[in-house]
Amino acid sequence: MKGNNHLFVLSAITSALSASFHNTIFSWCWIGWLVYLVFAKGLQKRVFVSLMIAIVFLNVWNKGLLVDPSLKFNSSSISNTVVGKIISPVSISSKAIQFTLKPDQVNDKTLVVVYSDQIQSENQYSQLKAGANCTINGLPQPLDRKTNPGQFDYGGYLEKQGITSELIVKDPQNVYCTGASTINQLYLARTTVIQKAQEELSPSTASWISALILGDDQFLSDDTIELFQKWGLSHLLAISGLHVGLIVSSIYFSLIKLQLLTREKAQWFVIICLPFYAILAGGAPSVWRASLLTFLALIITKVKIKLTTTDMLGVVFLLLILIKPENMYHLGFQFSFLITYCLLLSKSFIQNQSRFFSILTISFLSLLTLLPLQLYNFYYFNPLSILINLLYVPYFSFIVMPLLLVITLSLIFPFPFSFVDQMFQNIHHFAMIPLENIDKTLFYPWITGKFPLLMFIPYFVVFILFMNQLSRSNKSKAFYSGCLLVVILLAATLKPYISSSGYVTTLDVGQGDAIVVELPHRKGVILIDVAGTLQANFKSPSDKVYRQVIKPYLLSRGISSIDAVFLSHEDHDHIGSLPYLLGDFKVGKLITSEYFTFSQEAKKILEQKRIEHITLSTGEEFVQGNQHFYVLSPINNNGSTNENSLVLFSKIGGLTWLFTGDINTDIESELVTKYPNLTIDVLKVAHHGSNSSSANSFIETVSPKYALISVGDNNRYGHPHLEVINSLEQEGVSILRTDQVGAIQYQFRSNQLGTFTTQLP
Amino acid sequence: MYCLWCDEEILVEVNWTNFLLPDRPKQLCEACEKSLQRIEGAICKLCGRPSDVEVCMDCERWENDAGWKGVLTFNRSVFQYNSRMKEMIARWKYRGDYALLEAFRETIIKTFNQTFVQVRKDTILVPIPLSEERLFERGFNQAEALANLTGLPCENRLSRIHTEKQSKKTRSDRLATTNPFKIETKIDRPVILIDDIYTTGITLRHAASLLKKHGCPKVYSFTLVR
């Protein structure tokens, strides 16, 4: 259906939406629109009929693809020994080896993770090849579930690929594999090149070659990846049209200029190489999109069929969806196609502009098209990234890629071009300095919070209208639709300021505390403790829980500044994420007990950032908006950090709350003696449910309705202790545990009573 | 879709305007479409040709002649008569490529509706007739084919005496001819005459004067080219 291929693509998208929301309204609306087109715009009947057939097919097909809930993880149904076939490339990183296994008897796939610090010799994993038949003995595990709002749903991501469980292998001796498929040769070639680069080139050059030529970014530092993400440059790290185009054209022209092949033969050579390159470059959706599009464009000139680029893109889209339906839910796939469609549709508009403005337009349009997806997944965007792209896209296209190509090709010679390697290192080091400095001084993200899915449709409708008017050079109308786009963004940003809903969220940070209080109409954002995690050695701090839980939650709520952070006491599981938090967010005040002491480093940061430190003693209160927090303890210096925990009492959303830090039974009885009439509705159970706290008598006296226990799953302290659970149950308290239900959120309106919801059922 | 004129395959580039609202299927390829010149902008208010002055020289001569003054209220046309148009008309009219008219359909309807938006309600469309011999020769009346596109009622109130082809004559020859039309039934409502070409304007004026003589209050004309 020439010229109308994008209508099929839109049919596929609407039917995928229908399937994932279990609501066919999306498809029905689309069918309605198509009927309108038949009558009002003369859409040909045969196109319409084919579209209808496609829509019915896609709906039935998409529905069938959803993971059957009955297939979901059930520990009893999965045995420890699994026999099956490796159906993915085997990815080897410094931490673990991963691959997808399709067990012989069942339909759903398993992600096998072999921890590689236990792998002694290369021989033991050399048998792990794509297509190999394996017998593996390991520990079946359910997929990691998303336990916090705003957190990346890794389990859901795997589930979309048909993977329903994980198999953890601690000892590589337990893996027996034989055989391999032919495609494994390509995977092997990729690994070989990556290894060769690692061995023969400087680490920096090798890491960039792995990422930009072979599509493996594991050697790039997390900081670099984050830096590129913050500045909207991630597209440079994912192999896409830019890279494929450059690689293909340089190979083609060198074949011709060196007179190795005729034009005709060189074209066929490139055509044949493209699919292989897609696999060699890691097979990410953006790589496939770019290679297949180039492949199709070249093939078409050979067979004398005429197709527009948009139609070819549509063919590639449908092909990738049919081969691998989960592509539709892959962020890289969505970004890649959205941006390519946007630029193709804007082609004539861009061409009408001067060179400088056309580059600026591309940068600007890219930001606008991707905005809803960006805000849905990352909760902020960086307006200045438009300008940064102007600098770094040409730099990567004309300097980095050609240099890296030369270096990669030189790997076939016995001695690589070390001077080019050296040159690249110097240039690249120098080129990255401005970006790093700009990041330090000019990073002003626009934090909107999680962009509601429902707003996608109005956004894109207005955006299409905007582009429509712009390309007809109807400037005044385009200005109004442009304003409307900004209004949509402002509406998303200002929603919490208008909404009368308030939230108290106990995040699931594992073994630790982090509670976020958001007052109605955004009258204040207050944190009570910010748990940190430790690395595997239990000594050095790690930003894992901050990066994965606390920061995404705050951003997803559209929070950029925090009015006050209460720090109950000095332990890492209560304040460990503070340094990272102060680095990313504007923090007004830090509030502690008078016995709290900051480390020397922390003091320095506080001075540098000019953050006010307030100490409160028992009987004093802190007021934010019209929310009062009363300090009930420590009354005296009790000599230990836990016992000196700041105990807070507050009335939020019609309930009385007691936040207890890590106090023990002694302090509890002290509280009861000092405040004999203290009764509360919600108790943050002290010390993660340890039996050193929460004495029977205390619970009896304060008689809470709800008990919140912030505790790590399977923690090494055995928290929460059975005695505590028993005494809470005896009192008839509803117990909410973060290790069981994930984040616990209390939502209320002004001062009316609200409801508790949990992330997991 | 293939171009009705050059038979090249037509590729529609998708852009922001036709992304959700696809254009009607195109009949001409972009190159052929571009070779046609639509009449837009400043025109002679009487004959509708592109003109910088309000009334062109030609029309001034007509209006200065007492016999022809005000016979035709005004004429409007869709395209200019350039060489490509000449070829197209020849293929359509003389060599019987009836379907070629489809290439102009949308533009004709649009221009017609824009021009006659106020008067079209109570007017009657009258196509310039062919003589019976000529109709037999060609197989269709090109003026009637054009009139049918507009979707308004169209009545054959005129007939024509067989004469030599207009296109074989010079301007002075044409102006000297006697009225070749006969009226079949009278019309007391305004009329829009439809023809393929307005060259000197004599044919349309002959028809118009005859209609007016028999009580028609106002005569406009609409042609494919001018």
Side-chain angles (χ1 to χ4, degrees):
Chain A
M1 302 296 137
K2 287 184 180 180
N4 286 319
N5 207 304
H6 61 287
L7 297 181
F8 288 85
V9 170
L10 289 169
S11 306
I13 294 170
T14 46
S15 66
L17 283 172
S18 294
S20 49
F21 287 96
H22 303 282
N23 191 339
T24 48
I25 179 103
F26 297 95
S27 280
W28 283 117
C29 288
W30 178 239
I31 291 172
W33 180 253
L34 292 174
V35 170
Y36 164 75
L37 289 184
V38 170
F39 288 107
K41 288 284 163 184
L43 184 71
Q44 289 152 291
K45 298 261 165 31
R46 59 191 178 92
V47 177
F48 178 76
V49 171
S50 338
L51 277 165
M52 286 301 124
I53 295 170
I55 291 170
V56 171
F57 166 74
L58 285 161
N59 266 296
V60 173
W61 189 58
N62 270 317
K63 225 182 162 124
L65 289 170
L66 290 181
V67 173
D68 183 356
S70 68
L71 284 177
K72 278 197 179 162
F73 185 78
N74 177 350
S75 58
S76 60
S77 75
I78 295 174
S79 64
N80 289 358
T81 306
V82 185
V83 181
K85 193 172 192 161
I86 301 180
I87 54 162
S88 73
V90 177
S91 91
I92 301 169
S93 75
S94 55
K95 290 179 201 114
I97 297 175
Q98 279 192 14
F99 53 86
T100 311
L101 191 83
K102 166 81 185 58
D104 286 341
Q105 255 78 46
V106 274
N107 246 336
D108 41 348
K109 306 164 202 163
T110 301
L111 182 75
V112 181
V113 185
V114 186
Y115 284 101
S116 56
D117 50 321
Q118 281 114 339
I119 292 173
Q120 284 91 27
S121 74
E122 257 187 46
N123 280 337
Q124 276 166 324
Y125 63 85
S126 65
Q127 50 166 343
L128 292 175
K129 293 170 187 163
N133 287 305
C134 300
T135 309
I136 301 173
N137 206 329
L139 192 66
Q141 296 246 307
L143 298 176
D144 277 346
R145 285 173 301 180
K146 170 182 168 173
T147 61
N148 288 285
Q151 196 180 354
F152 175 64
D153 188 4
Y154 184 61
Y157 168 75
L158 292 178
E159 215 165 67
K160 290 262 160 62
Q161 305 175 30
I163 297 172
T164 52
S165 62
E166 254 180 79
L167 189 70
I168 307 294
V169 184
K170 289 266 161 76
D171 185 356
Q173 299 276 3
N174 290 334
V175 182
Y176 306 96
C177 295
T178 51
S181 59
T182 26
I183 208 165
N184 187 62
Q185 293 301 321
L186 277 174
Y187 295 145
L188 206 65
R190 179 173 185 240
T191 323
T192 317
V193 181
I194 293 176
Q195 274 170 359
K196 199 159 174 177
Q198 291 288 331
E199 282 158 18
E200 298 188 14
L201 301 170
S202 63
S204 143
T205 312
S207 66
W208 284 100
I209 285 184
S210 299
L212 299 186
I213 310 276
L214 296 152
D216 182 355
D217 65 4
Q218 61 159 312
F219 302 107
L220 291 178
S221 69
D222 286 348
D223 289 343
T224 309
I225 293 174
E226 200 195 322
L227 183 68
F228 274 63
Q229 206 240 307
K230 277 163 86 176
W231 288 92
L233 296 169
S234 298
H235 62 101
L236 293 173
L237 297 182
I239 297 181
S240 59
L242 175 75
H243 310 71
V244 172
L246 278 167
I247 290 170
V248 163
S249 49
S250 56
I251 290 175
Y252 176 70
F253 284 111
S254 42
L255 285 175
I256 289 176
K257 295 291 168 201
L258 298 173
Q259 303 195 330
L260 295 171
L261 290 176
T262 61
R263 268 167 199 278
E264 181 75 16
K265 281 185 184 151
Q267 280 165 12
W268 277 113
F269 178 79
V270 169
I271 290 173
I272 292 163
C273 282
L274 273 166
F276 291 107
Y277 174 68
I279 298 170
L280 204 60
S286 63
V287 182
W288 275 113
R289 191 221 85 223
S291 331
L292 284 182
L293 192 60
T294 320
F295 177 81
L296 209 60
L298 287 171
I299 277 272
I300 267 171
T301 60
K302 297 281 164 203
V303 295
K304 307 270 188 307
I305 297 177
K306 276 209 206 166
L307 265 186
T308 60
T309 325
T310 23
D311 277 353
M312 287 194 270
L313 186 64
V315 171
V316 173
F317 180 96
L318 296 171
L319 207 66
L320 289 180
I321 290 293
L322 290 177
I323 292 171
K324 216 173 161 194
E326 64 263 27
N327 272 336
M328 188 79 96
Y329 306 98
H330 191 287
L331 190 59
F333 181 89
Q334 296 167 348
F335 268 78
S336 180
F337 274 93
L338 203 55
I339 199 95
T340 319
Y341 263 113
C342 169
L343 295 182
L344 281 179
L345 292 180
S346 317
K347 199 166 79 185
S348 59
F349 172 67
I350 292 169
Q351 278 166 352
N352 285 339
Q353 281 160 334
S354 70
R355 203 189 193 93
F356 174 76
F357 274 102
S358 66
I359 300 173
L360 192 68
T361 311
I362 290 175
S363 192
F364 182 64
L365 288 185
S366 312
L367 180 97
L368 279 187
T369 355
L370 298 181
L371 205 50
L373 269 187
Q374 162 83 21
L375 296 178
Y376 181 72
N377 291 289
F378 303 107
Y379 321 125
Y380 72 89
F381 75 100
N382 182 352
L384 281 178
S385 69
I386 296 176
L387 300 176
I388 290 301
N389 266 283
L390 287 187
L391 296 176
Y392 282 92
V393 171
Y395 166 66
F396 270 79
S397 320
F398 301 117
I399 298 174
V400 173
M401 283 303 294
L403 281 177
L404 289 182
L405 260 178
V406 171
I407 301 171
T408 314
L409 291 177
S410 78
L411 283 173
I412 26 177
F413 300 116
F415 46 89
F417 299 166
S418 53
F419 68 96
V420 191
D421 180 356
Q422 192 60 46
M423 189 168 87
F424 171 76
Q425 265 192 76
N426 292 338
I427 295 175
H428 198 61
H429 175 71
F430 186 68
M432 283 295 116
I433 291 173
L435 183 60
E436 280 156 15
N437 285 330
I438 290 170
D439 182 51
K440 276 180 203 137
T441 48
L442 286 171
F443 182 61
Y444 294 111
W446 180 345
I447 300 170
T448 60
K450 185 166 183 148
F451 197 71
L453 269 176
L454 266 179
M455 300 268 268
F456 271 57
I457 295 167
Y459 181 90
F460 278 116
V461 167
V462 176
F463 179 64
I464 291 171
L465 219 61
F466 171 68
M467 286 311 299
N468 191 342
Q469 288 149 353
L470 213 57
S471 52
R472 288 167 187 242
S473 39
N474 194 339
K475 295 223 170 79
S476 61
K477 272 194 182 166
F479 175 75
Y480 290 124
S481 356
C483 288
L484 204 54
L485 280 183
V486 177
V487 168
I488 292 177
L489 286 182
L490 279 176
T493 315
L494 296 179
K495 199 180 133 222
Y497 293 86
I498 298 156
S499 158
S500 58
S501 288
Y503 301 86
V504 181
T505 312
T506 310
L507 293 171
D508 174 27
V509 286
Q511 187 72 6
D513 276 15
I515 299 166
V516 185
V517 181
E518 296 156 73
L519 301 178
H521 303 290
R522 218 6 83 86
K523 287 277 166 58
V525 175
I526 301 119
L527 261 60
I528 302 172
D529 285 343
V530 268
T533 26
L534 292 170
Q535 284 175 9
N537 60 14
F538 291 108
K539 278 189 191 114
S540 18
S542 136
D543 63 353
K544 191 175 155 205
V545 78
Y546 171 73
R547 221 164 10 88
Q548 295 183 355
V549 179
I550 300 174
K551 185 180 178 185
Y553 176 74
L554 293 174
L555 290 179
S556 77
R557 301 289 313 154
I559 294 169
S560 56
S561 75
I562 295 155
D563 299 290
V565 181
F566 286 104
L567 299 171
S568 67
H569 62 292
E570 293 93 325
D571 288 354
H572 193 77
D573 60 342
H574 290 256
I575 65 161
S577 290
L578 187 64
Y580 316 116
L581 186 80
L582 296 180
D584 290 333
F585 294 87
K586 215 170 82 198
V587 175
K589 302 179 181 78
L590 291 181
I591 304 165
T592 65
S593 77
E594 53 205 309
Y595 308 113
F596 186 101
T597 44
F598 278 108
S599 67
Q600 286 304 318
E601 292 161 69
K603 270 185 192 157
K604 241 184 238 165
I605 301 175
L606 295 194
E607 248 167 61
Q608 232 174 41
K609 302 229 169 209
R610 297 213 187 94
I611 293 166
E612 199 183 340
H613 176 202
I614 299 175
T615 52
L616 293 182
S617 347
T618 302
E620 290 184 312
E621 61 171 345
F622 171 75
V623 187
Q624 172 69 42
N626 45 19
Q627 188 63 46
H628 296 250
F629 292 90
Y630 304 94
V631 175
L632 306 190
S633 182
I635 299 163
N636 314 301
N637 188 348
N638 299 306
S640 88
T641 55
N642 279 354
E643 274 58 83
N644 276 339
S645 286
L646 192 70
V647 175
L648 294 169
F649 174 87
S650 187
K651 192 164 183 202
I652 314 171
L655 297 181
T656 49
W657 300 65
L658 192 68
F659 301 98
T660 52
D662 278 358
I663 55 168
N664 67 5
T665 45
D666 294 346
I667 309 296
E668 285 172 354
S669 41
E670 207 179 278
L671 278 174
V672 176
T673 327
K674 182 137 195 239
Y675 310 96
N677 298 326
L678 179 71
T679 56
I680 50 164
D681 298 314
V682 188
L683 173 69
K684 201 287 306 181
V685 175
H687 207 173
H688 324 289
S690 161
N691 55 10
S692 56
S693 329
S694 309
N696 244 330
S697 54
F698 175 70
I699 290 168
E700 244 170 70
T701 322
V702 297
S703 69
K705 293 194 187 82
Y706 301 95
L708 309 179
I709 308 179
S710 190
V711 63
D713 193 15
N714 260 327
N715 63 79
R716 54 183 183 147
Y717 311 100
H719 293 163
H721 287 134
L722 199 61
E723 302 96 295
V724 175
I725 298 291
N726 282 342
S727 51
L728 286 169
E729 272 173 356
Q730 258 169 26
E731 277 299 306
V733 185
S734 315
I735 303 170
L736 295 162
R737 292 167 53 171
T738 57
D739 61 336
Q740 290 177 342
V741 296
I744 304 154
Q745 193 163 53
Y746 178 68
Q747 185 185 355
F748 61 96
R749 271 177 191 281
S750 299
N751 266 328
Q752 296 163 16
L753 274 181
T755 45
F756 278 99
T757 49
T758 56
Q759 184 68 29
L760 302 176
Chain B
M1 274 299 170
Y2 293 85
C3 176
L4 282 178
W5 179 250
C6 70
D7 266 348
E8 272 293 305
E9 191 171 3
I10 302 171
L11 291 183
V12 183
E13 284 287 346
V14 183
N15 55 39
W16 290 106
T17 8
N18 60 10
F19 177 62
L20 284 182
L21 277 170
D23 303 322
R24 289 181 173 279
K26 282 221 160 72
Q27 307 295 334
L28 290 180
C29 70
E30 217 174 315
C32 294
E33 183 102 57
K34 269 189 187 153
S35 67
L36 300 179
Q37 290 167 282
R38 276 182 69 179
I39 297 178
E40 282 162 323
I43 52 168
C44 164
K45 69 172 186 181
L46 293 179
C47 71
R49 68 152 59 149
S51 157
D52 293 330
V53 288
E54 211 178 339
V55 178
C56 70
M57 283 253 292
D58 240 22
C59 293
E60 222 167 281
R61 275 205 271 174
W62 282 115
E63 294 307 298
N64 286 340
D65 187 329
W68 292 115
K69 189 176 185 336
V71 165
L72 201 60
T73 309
F74 66 74
N75 170 69
R76 287 293 178 268
S77 309
V78 188
F79 294 102
Q80 291 182 47
Y81 203 35
N82 63 7
S83 58
R84 171 58 58 83
M85 200 42 155
K86 239 176 225 164
E87 292 172 317
M88 283 183 157
I89 296 261
R91 189 158 118 187
W92 173 52
K93 198 160 101 177
Y94 302 129
R95 274 172 264 142
D97 187 354
Y98 186 82
L100 194 54
L101 183 62
E102 288 303 307
F104 313 124
R105 174 192 282 273
E106 235 177 299
T107 335
I108 291 172
I109 295 175
K110 213 170 147 193
T111 317
F112 181 87
N113 288 344
Q114 273 170 9
T115 313
F116 298 106
V117 64
Q118 278 148 7
V119 293
R120 63 180 210 185
K121 261 194 185 154
D122 44 38
T123 49
I124 295 181
L125 262 55
V126 178
I128 296 292
L130 294 179
S131 64
E132 269 178 46
E133 291 88 336
R134 191 79 72 225
L135 187 62
F136 180 74
E137 223 174 85
R138 294 207 184 136
F140 69 99
N141 178 356
Q142 72 276 7
E144 212 178 318
L146 282 168
N148 285 337
L149 289 185
T150 61
L152 291 181
C154 147
E155 291 171 29
N156 287 310
R157 299 287 179 96
L158 298 172
S159 65
R160 188 172 194 158
I161 305 151
H162 186 60
T163 52
E164 210 189 327
K165 274 184 191 165
Q166 285 283 85
S167 55
K168 296 274 165 72
K169 297 177 194 162
T170 63
R171 180 180 158 88
S172 51
D173 285 346
R174 292 188 196 188
L175 295 185
T177 49
T178 49
N179 199 328
F181 299 110
K182 280 203 302 196
I183 198 147
E184 305 278 303
T185 37
K186 286 183 182 179
I187 302 177
D188 50 5
R189 282 157 64 191
V191 160
I192 302 173
L193 285 169
I194 308 284
D195 202 1
D196 52 348
I197 309 177
Y198 179 113
T199 316
T200 58
I202 183 69
T203 314
L204 289 163
R205 281 188 172 79
H206 273 311
S209 70
L210 194 66
L211 285 168
K212 278 202 148 172
K213 214 183 280 174
H214 290 87
C216 176
K218 234 174 186 178
V219 182
Y220 310 91
S221 68
F222 181 76
T223 68
L224 178 62
V225 293
R226 167 72 182 96

